[in-house]
Amino acid sequence: MAKILVVDDEQSMCDFMEIMLTKEGYSVDKAGSGHEALGKTGSESYDLIIADLMMPEMSGLELLSEVKKTCPNQEFIVMTAFASVDSAIDAMKQGALDYITKPFKVDEIKMVIEKSVNRRKLRTENEFLKKQLKQDFSFDDFIGRSEEIIKLKELAKRISLTDSTILIRGESGTGKDLIAKAIHAASERSTGPFVTINCAALPESLLESELFGYKKGAFTGAVKDKDGLFKVADGGTFFLDEIGNTSPGIQVKLLRVLEDKQITPVGGIKPIGADVRLIAATNANLEEEVKNGRFRSDLFYRLNVIPIQIPPLRERIDDIPLLANYFVAKYCQRAGTETKAISPEAMRVLQDYEWAGNVRELENCIERAVLLARNDTIALSDFPSRIIENRKETIISRDKPETPTLESIEKAYIYYIMSQTQGQKAKAAKILGIDSSTLYRKLKRYRLDDTDAQA
Ligand SMILES: Nc1ncnc2c1ncn2[C@@H]1O[C@H](COP(=O)(O)OP(=O)(O)OP(=O)(O)O)[C@@H](O)[C@H]1O
Ligand SMILES: [Mg+2]
């Protein structure tokens, strides 16, 4: 229930407003003067204050400026007689939200009040969302304590304070998006927009008009001027993902943005200014692309002023337990369950795995395991087969003595055939030239007979 303070030196006006607003479902407080109102706002907070402009001692305008000193976001509406609309306009310049002229129609005042109460609600929600956004993408959320990551975060933090172009490089799933967002959030442009586009997702002509906008009549269907994303990003950061996938035509235009801070809409003649910071990302080998003539060398050097290289996950296995536990906590929280632990054996296997999909693959794997785990510990069997199979290979190869015993060769060979046949025992037995019951026995003996082999 929204709380409203009505301030008027005319008692009858206060009473009238009280009756009307209470009927509308608001909770109402009254004050007969500006001083009384200030006394109340000192100890209570109101969603809205409605004050008469003309009051003896302290006018509504003075009250407004006093209130704004301690509570700059206070929603405030002034009431005034027809004769003094000018001062109502003054009040709005000082931060009043709206004004009501007396005598007013009940419907009108209801609407004005509803509008301002809703606006306040919206604003609180926006502030909350903004805060959340910012929090989501701070450097603290880029998990990792390996030497490489500590260095990388230091570099990224330092350059986020500058306005220079950044090229983020790394395999898919290493966190390029995350770093880009963290850089924006830590930069002076953080209150500006963060606009992102995936250059690989759109065909050239569409990408061009998305990026730079177009003029009416530039092509069939261009019925009016349209701003491009560079314009949308004005004052903020523009994140160009998968920049290695851009055509030569787009590359020339991007170079222009970097060199002159200017863009030309499709079909336009006059370039317009673009105040954006560019962050580009790629998982391609751009040097190679330059050599092959697929990527302009001048653009490459322009972009590559400050490269940030995120190492693949397999090269920083010390970060794996940290990340794994972080994701366990995240997904347990999301599922509303107590945080689970990862068994030591399972953790070892995570550290042994290749992670071609890097952190994204690890995150998916943990999300799945959290859902599958039957008790408060995540076990090996909660992981997908590809991860478990990898363990078998490493165990077998690690166990291998200098001269392998017949038994270890048999074990490795059976494992190999089992994986080749995707765990189909009948098929495997046939290839191995033994009957199924012998295979069952051997699987049991070598402890290859758990769900892992076929999962
Ligand atoms: N160091 C990290 N700490 C926490 N989460 C991470 C980290 N690195 C990556 N992630 C998470 O992994 C997922 C993939 O990260 P992101 O999208 O940033 O990768 P990317 O390098 O942009 O991948 P692609 O090249 O496929 O676009 C995201 O959910 C991200 O939050
Ligand atoms: Mg990405």
Side-chain angles (χ1 to χ4, degrees):
M1 186 163 44
K3 217 152 100 192
I4 301 177
L5 176 65
V6 179
V7 192
D8 201 316
D9 56 319
E10 261 180 84
Q11 181 69 37
S12 58
M13 189 63 193
C14 280
D15 293 344
F16 165 72
M17 293 286 275
E18 182 181 28
I19 294 165
M20 182 193 65
L21 293 175
T22 311
K23 229 167 77 192
E24 286 299 305
Y26 299 108
S27 137
V28 182
D29 248 357
K30 298 177 288 186
S33 72
H35 291 291
E36 196 187 336
L38 282 179
K40 286 188 184 280
T41 56
S43 54
E44 283 274 0
S45 74
Y46 296 94
D47 295 294
L48 174 66
I49 298 175
I50 306 174
D52 186 28
L53 214 47
M54 305 283 249
M55 291 185 291
E57 286 175 53
M58 186 185 282
S59 74
L61 218 56
E62 285 167 302
L63 173 63
L64 172 62
S65 78
E66 280 305 309
V67 167
K68 289 270 168 182
K69 272 183 204 159
T70 51
C71 189
N73 287 331
Q74 177 65 55
E75 309 291 349
F76 203 104
I77 293 179
V78 293
M79 293 183 286
T80 175
F82 244 125
S84 54
V85 169
D86 279 352
S87 39
I89 291 168
D90 274 349
M92 291 188 61
K93 276 191 199 142
Q94 282 198 32
L97 200 57
D98 214 330
Y99 67 91
I100 305 165
T101 46
K102 287 198 257 186
F104 46 74
K105 293 198 191 86
V106 173
D107 281 349
E108 184 191 344
I109 195 167
K110 276 186 199 161
M111 198 194 66
V112 169
I113 289 170
E114 199 183 303
K115 206 172 73 189
S116 66
V117 170
N118 283 342
R119 206 183 90 132
R120 182 185 155 84
K121 243 194 243 156
L122 252 182
R123 192 161 67 191
T124 344
E125 267 163 32
N126 274 344
E127 270 162 16
F128 174 72
L129 284 177
K130 248 197 214 146
K131 247 186 232 149
Q132 248 198 348
L133 266 183
K134 255 195 135 156
Q135 246 176 17
D136 268 351
F137 305 124
S138 86
F139 284 108
D140 295 339
D141 295 298
F142 194 87
I143 307 299
R145 253 187 259 133
S146 59
E147 208 180 311
E148 295 93 326
I149 295 300
I150 290 175
K151 271 200 204 135
L152 182 151
K153 280 168 78 169
E154 264 168 21
L155 172 68
K157 265 184 212 166
R158 226 169 334 118
I159 56 179
S160 57
L161 302 173
T162 72
D163 215 26
S164 65
T165 305
I166 298 171
L167 180 62
I168 306 176
R169 314 184 63 170
E171 290 179 10
S172 179
T174 45
K176 299 185 292 296
D177 275 69
L178 201 59
I179 282 285
K181 285 172 188 154
I183 289 173
H184 170 72
S187 77
E188 279 179 359
R189 294 175 175 269
S190 65
T191 50
F194 178 84
V195 175
T196 163
I197 192 164
N198 184 335
C199 300
L202 298 173
E204 172 173 7
S205 57
L206 206 57
L207 178 63
E208 185 177 9
S209 59
E210 276 295 306
L211 287 174
F212 305 104
Y214 52 77
K215 286 302 211 186
K216 179 180 169 181
F219 46 83
T220 344
V223 287
K224 58 178 181 191
D225 292 3
K226 185 175 179 275
D227 282 343
L229 289 176
F230 269 111
K231 193 89 186 78
V232 176
D234 202 47
T237 307
F238 200 8
F239 179 49
L240 278 164
D241 207 356
E242 305 209 29
I243 192 147
N245 291 62
T246 45
S247 67
I250 302 263
Q251 289 173 26
V252 176
K253 284 194 134 185
L254 289 177
L255 191 63
R256 185 85 191 275
V257 176
L258 287 174
E259 289 186 334
D260 312 331
K261 296 249 167 213
Q262 283 189 332
I263 55 167
T264 310
V266 180
I269 315 161
K270 244 176 63 196
I272 47 177
D275 170 30
V276 293
R277 182 212 209 146
L278 211 65
I279 302 181
T282 183
N283 56 25
N285 183 342
L286 281 190
E287 285 86 350
E288 197 68 21
E289 299 290 290
V290 168
K291 242 190 250 158
N292 293 335
R294 277 194 294 265
F295 202 84
R296 290 183 68 108
S297 58
D298 44 7
L299 178 59
F300 173 66
Y301 292 118
R302 272 277 171 183
L303 289 171
N304 204 33
V305 190
I306 304 178
I308 292 188
Q309 179 86 44
I310 312 182
L313 188 56
R314 64 185 164 280
E315 285 174 18
R316 41 181 167 115
I317 55 175
D318 292 347
D319 284 341
I320 291 176
L322 209 63
L323 279 162
N325 286 323
Y326 170 79
F327 291 132
V328 168
K330 173 173 165 184
Y331 287 102
C332 285
Q333 193 190 26
R334 196 170 285 181
T337 54
E338 291 273 299
T339 298
K340 298 177 193 293
I342 301 177
S343 80
E345 184 196 24
M347 193 63 99
R348 236 177 293 123
V349 168
L350 291 182
Q351 285 185 286
D352 272 348
Y353 186 63
E354 272 286 297
W355 300 114
N358 292 290
V359 183
R360 181 182 293 117
E361 189 184 5
L362 175 64
E363 181 167 0
N364 291 344
C365 163
I366 298 287
E367 181 181 7
R368 176 184 183 277
V370 165
L371 295 175
L372 289 178
R374 267 181 234 128
N375 48 36
D376 56 4
T377 304
I378 291 173
L380 199 50
S381 55
D382 299 323
F383 293 150
S385 58
R386 60 175 193 283
I387 291 170
I388 300 162
E389 273 160 21
N390 170 70
R391 170 197 65 147
K392 291 262 165 68
E393 262 148 4
T394 50
I395 289 174
I396 289 163
S397 59
R398 273 179 195 168
D399 286 350
K400 210 186 301 175
E402 293 289 51
T403 316
T405 61
L406 190 56
E407 213 171 57
S408 70
I409 290 174
E410 186 180 71
K411 178 180 176 184
Y413 190 59
I414 290 175
Y415 173 72
Y416 170 71
I417 295 298
M418 282 296 284
S419 63
Q420 289 293 301
T421 58
Q422 279 91 42
Q424 298 172 52
K425 290 179 185 137
K427 213 167 164 187
K430 212 163 168 193
I431 295 171
L432 291 165
I434 51 178
D435 58 38
S436 295
S437 57
T438 313
L439 178 60
Y440 276 108
R441 215 169 3 90
K442 287 185 188 291
L443 286 173
K444 220 177 185 122
R445 162 132 168 251
Y446 296 134
R447 285 199 256 159
L448 295 168
D449 188 31
D450 47 25
T451 46
D452 302 3
Q454 312 108 51

mmCIF file of all heavy atoms in Angstrom, residues 15 106 239 325 351 366 370 416 448:
data_model
loop_
_atom_site.group_PDB
_atom_site.id
_atom_site.type_symbol
_atom_site.label_atom_id
_atom_site.label_comp_id
_atom_site.label_asym_id
_atom_site.label_seq_id
_atom_site.Cartn_x
_atom_site.Cartn_y
_atom_site.Cartn_z
ATOM 1 N N ASP A 15 -8.705 17.072 4.770
ATOM 2 C CA ASP A 15 -9.713 16.054 5.087
ATOM 3 C C ASP A 15 -10.282 15.428 3.819
ATOM 4 O O ASP A 15 -10.431 14.211 3.723
ATOM 5 C CB ASP A 15 -10.847 16.667 5.916
ATOM 6 C CG ASP A 15 -10.366 17.086 7.295
ATOM 7 O OD1 ASP A 15 -9.262 16.610 7.682
ATOM 8 O OD2 ASP A 15 -11.040 17.884 7.974
ATOM 9 N N VAL A 106 -11.889 15.017 -9.471
ATOM 10 C CA VAL A 106 -11.406 13.869 -8.702
ATOM 11 C C VAL A 106 -10.678 12.861 -9.593
ATOM 12 O O VAL A 106 -9.609 12.359 -9.250
ATOM 13 C CB VAL A 106 -12.584 13.203 -7.955
ATOM 14 C CG1 VAL A 106 -12.128 11.913 -7.295
ATOM 15 C CG2 VAL A 106 -13.133 14.155 -6.904
ATOM 16 N N PHE A 239 30.472 -3.912 -27.917
ATOM 17 C CA PHE A 239 31.182 -5.189 -27.905
ATOM 18 C C PHE A 239 30.901 -5.948 -29.201
ATOM 19 O O PHE A 239 29.779 -6.365 -29.470
ATOM 20 C CB PHE A 239 30.731 -6.011 -26.698
ATOM 21 C CG PHE A 239 31.391 -7.361 -26.607
ATOM 22 C CD1 PHE A 239 32.766 -7.498 -26.730
ATOM 23 C CD2 PHE A 239 30.627 -8.498 -26.375
ATOM 24 C CE1 PHE A 239 33.372 -8.746 -26.637
ATOM 25 C CE2 PHE A 239 31.230 -9.746 -26.280
ATOM 26 C CZ PHE A 239 32.607 -9.863 -26.408
ATOM 27 N N ASN A 325 33.197 -25.556 -7.734
ATOM 28 C CA ASN A 325 32.458 -25.275 -6.503
ATOM 29 C C ASN A 325 31.576 -24.044 -6.630
ATOM 30 O O ASN A 325 30.474 -23.987 -6.094
ATOM 31 C CB ASN A 325 33.425 -25.098 -5.330
ATOM 32 C CG ASN A 325 33.997 -26.433 -4.885
ATOM 33 O OD1 ASN A 325 33.297 -27.450 -4.895
ATOM 34 N ND2 ASN A 325 35.263 -26.457 -4.509
ATOM 35 N N GLN A 351 39.570 -32.302 -13.241
ATOM 36 C CA GLN A 351 40.861 -31.668 -13.530
ATOM 37 C C GLN A 351 41.632 -32.379 -14.634
ATOM 38 O O GLN A 351 42.531 -31.815 -15.236
ATOM 39 C CB GLN A 351 41.707 -31.593 -12.257
ATOM 40 C CG GLN A 351 41.201 -30.515 -11.322
ATOM 41 C CD GLN A 351 42.098 -30.347 -10.120
ATOM 42 O OE1 GLN A 351 42.095 -31.179 -9.219
ATOM 43 N NE2 GLN A 351 42.878 -29.280 -10.090
ATOM 44 N N ILE A 366 28.309 -29.168 -14.524
ATOM 45 C CA ILE A 366 27.970 -29.044 -13.102
ATOM 46 C C ILE A 366 26.459 -28.833 -12.927
ATOM 47 O O ILE A 366 25.840 -29.411 -12.039
ATOM 48 C CB ILE A 366 28.745 -27.874 -12.458
ATOM 49 C CG1 ILE A 366 30.250 -28.120 -12.522
ATOM 50 C CG2 ILE A 366 28.279 -27.667 -11.024
ATOM 51 C CD1 ILE A 366 30.780 -29.163 -11.581
ATOM 52 N N VAL A 370 24.300 -31.296 -10.599
ATOM 53 C CA VAL A 370 23.530 -30.838 -9.436
ATOM 54 C C VAL A 370 22.115 -31.414 -9.498
ATOM 55 O O VAL A 370 21.547 -31.827 -8.486
ATOM 56 C CB VAL A 370 23.495 -29.288 -9.378
ATOM 57 C CG1 VAL A 370 22.421 -28.795 -8.430
ATOM 58 C CG2 VAL A 370 24.857 -28.752 -8.962
ATOM 59 N N TYR A 416 39.046 -50.430 -24.378
ATOM 60 C CA TYR A 416 39.062 -49.815 -25.703
ATOM 61 C C TYR A 416 37.896 -50.327 -26.553
ATOM 62 O O TYR A 416 37.143 -49.553 -27.151
ATOM 63 C CB TYR A 416 40.407 -50.123 -26.381
ATOM 64 C CG TYR A 416 40.443 -49.741 -27.834
ATOM 65 C CD1 TYR A 416 40.473 -48.400 -28.213
ATOM 66 C CD2 TYR A 416 40.450 -50.719 -28.832
ATOM 67 C CE1 TYR A 416 40.505 -48.040 -29.549
ATOM 68 C CE2 TYR A 416 40.482 -50.372 -30.172
ATOM 69 C CZ TYR A 416 40.501 -49.021 -30.532
ATOM 70 O OH TYR A 416 40.507 -48.680 -31.851
ATOM 71 N N LEU A 448 35.482 -52.409 -14.749
ATOM 72 C CA LEU A 448 35.023 -51.600 -15.874
ATOM 73 C C LEU A 448 33.514 -51.713 -15.977
ATOM 74 O O LEU A 448 32.890 -51.159 -16.864
ATOM 75 C CB LEU A 448 35.654 -52.104 -17.179
ATOM 76 C CG LEU A 448 37.167 -51.954 -17.267
ATOM 77 C CD1 LEU A 448 37.714 -52.735 -18.440
ATOM 78 C CD2 LEU A 448 37.543 -50.490 -17.388
#
